[in-house]
Amino acid sequence: MADEIAVVGGVDTHTDFHQAAVIDSIGRHLATEAFPTTPDGYHRLLHWLRSHADLLAVGVEGTGAYGAELARHLRAEQITVVDVDRPDRRARRANGKSDPVDAYAAATAVLSGRAGGTPKTRDGVVEAIRSLRVVRRSAVKSRTQTINQIRTLIVTAPSEVREKLRGLPTTELIHTLARSRPTGQTSDPIHTVRVALRRLARRHEYLTEEINDANAELGPLVAQAAPELVALLGVGTETAGQLLITAGDNPERLRSEASFAHLCAAAPVPASSGRTNRHRLDRGGDRAANNALHMIALVRMRYDDRTKDYVARRTAQGMSKKDILRCLKRFIAREVYKHLTSPHITPKSLLQTA
């Protein structure tokens, strides 16, 4: 009887619809169906899964992207959600590629134990930090492009323009260009380049204001989410924000500091051959988190006496700078993990303290 068995669900997520599939406890394919990505669609999807039998868990592809809201809905209904990576290329070549195939593969990955990751909840202060950092990161990138465009235009500008601007520091250059008042005909290259430089300078000022606004909002959020983390030497708002995002609003999903190091691509991997006995960093994981650890290590190598002594000792032992950085990243990951797993500030408590 159907009510005597248990089932596992799998979902292949997309922008406008999610393809769901159900398998029983011994792996037999039972059914598959598509549902729209709307609140009503999520409700119907869950009801459809439960209609087959007792639902053990649901494997969802892309819980950090297309499946984020579905994962939130399922958790709110007390359903165990498992984060499923898409099948590797070898499996895709062997089994083919379609939405039902991928949905069944997600369910099978959960049943077999191949997939067992707990997705980020994305419902707390860390999610707010992530949203603000998206804006800040794009503004920083655009501002860098803008100043590069300004300097390129100056290099190719007529001498009447170039000689007045050559050698000015960035702040003075932007101030001078943004407050200039070019006059002349648009057909005149000298006038046109002055207009272009003025517009780029004003864009630079606007982006700087946007970055400053994001910094003003991010600072208090990061400090309240992990005050002990920000207090660590070499950890600023940017690096702390990235490490918080990597861990998520539910850092308890990370089983140990070793799993966090692996997530940050800071876990040592054997790279020995013949008489060479060494390790290297794992090239997988979150590269942005690895970059945050790298920046902390560089700051400590310059300003922390304890780190300076460690670098000098390891250098005397014949270790390369690259390997020393690898070791430092692993040590920092261990230290950071202790502070990431402390209780986070919830959105409700943030409103109460505002």
Side-chain angles (χ1 to χ4, degrees), residues 137-212:
R137 186 167 57 249
S138 64
V140 170
K141 183 177 181 181
S142 297
R143 187 176 67 173
T144 301
Q145 292 175 335
T146 300
I147 189 61
N148 290 340
Q149 290 168 342
I150 289 174
R151 296 199 179 281
T152 300
L153 273 178
I154 291 175
V155 168
T156 59
S159 58
E160 296 95 316
V161 177
R162 187 176 67 251
E163 294 305 318
K164 293 180 180 179
L165 303 174
R166 178 183 291 179
L168 291 180
T170 300
T171 302
E172 185 178 348
L173 175 64
I174 296 300
H175 180 81
T176 300
L177 292 175
R179 282 147 189 77
S180 63
R181 295 180 178 274
T183 57
Q185 300 294 324
T186 56
S187 58
D188 181 7
I190 297 178
H191 169 70
T192 305
V193 75
R194 285 172 173 164
V195 171
L197 288 170
R198 178 173 180 262
R199 290 175 180 173
L200 287 172
R202 291 194 169 188
R203 180 188 301 175
H204 189 282
E205 287 185 333
Y206 173 79
L207 291 170
T208 299
E209 182 179 354
E210 188 173 304
I211 294 168
N212 292 337

Side-chain angles (χ1 to χ4, degrees), residues 27-226:
R28 291 178 298 188
H29 294 189
L30 300 181
T32 180
E33 190 171 334
F35 298 89
T37 55
T38 62
D40 179 65
Y42 301 143
H43 177 76
R44 287 164 47 200
L45 186 152
L46 179 57
H47 177 75
W48 179 80
L49 290 173
R50 282 174 164 169
S51 68
H52 291 84
D54 182 28
L55 185 61
L56 297 177
V58 179
V60 180
E61 281 192 19
T63 58
Y66 298 127
E69 183 58 26
L70 173 62
R72 278 190 283 261
H73 177 81
L74 294 176
R75 282 194 303 271
E77 296 294 332
Q78 307 303 313
I79 301 298
T80 300
V81 181
V82 179
D83 189 16
V84 179
D85 294 330
R86 67 176 185 176
D88 57 28
R89 293 181 179 178
R90 182 177 180 181
R92 286 181 181 271
R93 285 195 297 267
N95 301 322
K97 171 73 175 75
S98 70
D99 295 335
V101 168
D102 288 347
Y104 277 124
T108 303
V110 175
L111 182 63
S112 66
R114 182 179 64 83
T118 303
K120 298 177 182 177
T121 57
R122 296 181 179 273
D123 58 0
V125 64
V126 175
E127 180 65 10
I129 293 171
R130 187 191 69 85
S131 299
L132 289 174
R133 288 190 77 252
V134 169
V135 178
R136 185 189 184 281
R137 186 167 57 249
S138 64
V140 170
K141 183 177 181 181
S142 297
R143 187 176 67 173
T144 301
Q145 292 175 335
T146 300
I147 189 61
N148 290 340
Q149 290 168 342
I150 289 174
R151 296 199 179 281
T152 300
L153 273 178
I154 291 175
V155 168
T156 59
S159 58
E160 296 95 316
V161 177
R162 187 176 67 251
E163 294 305 318
K164 293 180 180 179
L165 303 174
R166 178 183 291 179
L168 291 180
T170 300
T171 302
E172 185 178 348
L173 175 64
I174 296 300
H175 180 81
T176 300
L177 292 175
R179 282 147 189 77
S180 63
R181 295 180 178 274
T183 57
Q185 300 294 324
T186 56
S187 58
D188 181 7
I190 297 178
H191 169 70
T192 305
V193 75
R194 285 172 173 164
V195 171
L197 288 170
R198 178 173 180 262
R199 290 175 180 173
L200 287 172
R202 291 194 169 188
R203 180 188 301 175
H204 189 282
E205 287 185 333
Y206 173 79
L207 291 170
T208 299
E209 182 179 354
E210 188 173 304
I211 294 168
N212 292 337
D213 289 343
N215 289 339
E217 294 166 339
L218 279 168
L221 283 178
V222 173
Q224 292 183 68

Side-chain angles (χ1 to χ4, degrees), residues 316-335:
Q317 294 173 354
M319 184 176 286
S320 66
K321 182 178 180 181
K322 182 184 295 185
D323 285 337
I324 293 173
L325 276 171
R326 173 187 61 77
C327 294
L328 287 174
K329 288 181 184 180
R330 184 63 182 86
F331 296 150
I332 294 170
R334 179 181 297 119
E335 184 180 13

